[in-house]
Amino acid sequence: MDFGNVLTAMVTPFDDQNELDLNRTEALIEHLINNGTDSLVVGGTTGESPTLTKDEKLTLYKHVVKVVNGRIPVIAGTGSNNTKETIEFTQKVEETGVDAVLLVAPYYNKPNQEGLYQHFKAIAELTKLPAMLYNIPGRTSINMDVDTIVALSKVPNIVAVKESSQDLLAITDIIDQTDDDFKLYSGDDGFTLPIVSVGGDGIVSVSSHLYGNEMQDMIQSYRNGDVARAAQLHQQLLPKMKAFFKAPSPVPVKTALNQAGISVGSVRLPLVPLTSDEEQQLKADLQ
């Protein structure tokens, strides 16, 4: 399956009572499709997955599939640190019509590499959907080794990995040791160009909520051989990318979307909105 270059890790729009807002979700989807997004990743960390109920996720996924209507792939977050529960939930999510699932490395219970391998293999064998692994040691406290990811890439419907280890040497090894049809995406906006330059396939992005076209331009410039332009775009985008992570994500990107007139509401506890000083700083950083 071709997910494209720029996959947006979509925020979950809430109404003024912090409940799921499907109208705002529809408006956000149209904005993203019109501004450089090749695929949507829904119900991931940027979508505040820890504070969405399973029913809310199913409602959200069904609605996104309906609005997208086959125009771009929809990837749904279904992973957790409970293998049995992930299998059951992934099978329910199959019925919503999504195109693929995102499976985060199990957090908190800290399995070893064999445990990681068996966890993902068990899920992949019991779903029809293509699966993207998600390695994010900063949030899970475990790192998936190169050998583990390479072994998992041989499981038939594990088709990609979202890599947030920020270890460019390991990422290069994964790209080198996996088949060409296994995709590796950066999970960090600032690493988009470095990862593409060593053979990566693109980015699962937060910044693409507002800078999707610029990120497409950067990737295409590099692939077309205009390395200087790609580097220039990288330098221009980097301060904006950093601004989205000065407070816990997705607080800054939701704030920026609201500032830009794309209403997505606030965040749910335990996340809290930016202070007025932080809001002003964000506005300045993005200008």
Side-chain angles (χ1 to χ4, degrees), residues 5 7-9 41 132 162 185-189 202-206:
N5 299 321
L7 295 67
T8 298
V41 178
M132 179 185 290
K162 177 185 176 186
Y185 290 95
S186 174
D188 296 284
D189 284 314
I203 173 72
V204 179
S205 174
V206 173

Side-chain angles (χ1 to χ4, degrees), residues 12-90:
T12 301
F14 297 136
D15 64 19
D16 297 342
Q17 282 72 49
N18 259 8
E19 297 297 330
L20 209 53
D21 191 319
L22 299 181
N23 291 329
R24 286 177 172 179
T25 300
E26 185 166 346
L28 177 62
I29 291 166
E30 295 305 331
H31 160 77
L32 293 173
I33 290 176
N34 292 329
N35 287 278
T37 292
D38 292 322
S39 290
L40 289 174
V41 178
V42 191
T45 331
T46 312
E48 295 176 74
S49 58
T51 56
L52 294 176
T53 66
K54 285 192 170 65
D55 285 345
E56 284 177 321
K57 286 178 188 174
L58 290 168
T59 300
L60 179 66
Y61 299 162
K62 275 182 202 153
H63 186 69
V64 173
V65 167
K66 184 176 148 206
V67 172
V68 168
N69 195 24
R71 288 177 287 172
I72 60 173
V74 177
I75 304 161
T78 64
S80 75
N81 59 351
N82 178 331
T83 310
K84 182 172 181 284
E85 201 171 78
T86 300
I87 291 166
E88 288 167 2
F89 185 57
T90 302

Side-chain angles (χ1 to χ4, degrees), residues 108-124:
Y108 195 72
N109 39 12
K110 296 176 87 166
N112 63 14
Q113 296 300 309
E114 178 63 17
L116 286 170
Y117 175 78
Q118 296 295 345
H119 168 80
F120 289 117
K121 182 169 174 278
I123 300 160

Side-chain angles (χ1 to χ4, degrees), residues 218-271:
M218 178 177 72
I219 293 169
Q220 293 300 348
S221 295
Y222 180 83
R223 291 200 177 134
N224 293 338
D226 194 345
V227 177
R229 175 168 170 75
Q232 184 184 27
L233 285 162
H234 171 73
Q235 303 292 355
Q236 287 169 4
L237 284 167
L238 199 57
K240 296 174 169 65
M241 292 168 170
K242 286 179 176 174
F244 287 132
F245 294 95
K246 282 187 176 174
S249 186
V251 182
V253 72
K254 275 193 150 180
T255 307
L257 283 162
N258 289 325
Q259 287 174 348
I262 303 151
S263 297
V264 292
S266 189
V267 289
R268 285 179 172 174
L269 287 169
L271 299 180

Side-chain angles (χ1 to χ4, degrees), residues 92-104:
K92 273 189 190 158
V93 168
E94 281 180 15
E95 296 163 19
T96 66
V98 300
D99 300 288
V101 291
L102 179 73
L103 302 173
V104 68

Side-chain angles (χ1 to χ4, degrees), residues 119-188:
H119 168 80
F120 289 117
K121 182 169 174 278
I123 300 160
E125 285 176 348
L126 290 170
T127 177
K128 301 188 287 278
L129 293 172
M132 179 185 290
L133 308 174
Y134 184 11
N135 185 34
I136 180 158
R139 283 188 186 265
T140 61
S141 83
I142 47 164
N143 185 49
M144 296 171 68
D145 289 351
V146 173
D147 290 349
T148 305
I149 293 172
V150 172
L152 284 165
S153 76
K154 297 180 187 348
V155 176
N157 57 335
I158 295 179
V159 299
V161 63
K162 177 185 176 186
E163 250 298 333
S164 295
S165 66
Q166 301 187 349
D167 182 346
L168 211 53
L169 297 181
I171 286 164
T172 306
D173 285 341
I174 293 163
I175 293 165
D176 179 48
Q177 293 174 37
T178 52
D179 294 341
D180 289 346
D181 60 356
F182 182 79
K183 306 294 185 187
L184 185 142
Y185 290 95
S186 174
D188 296 284

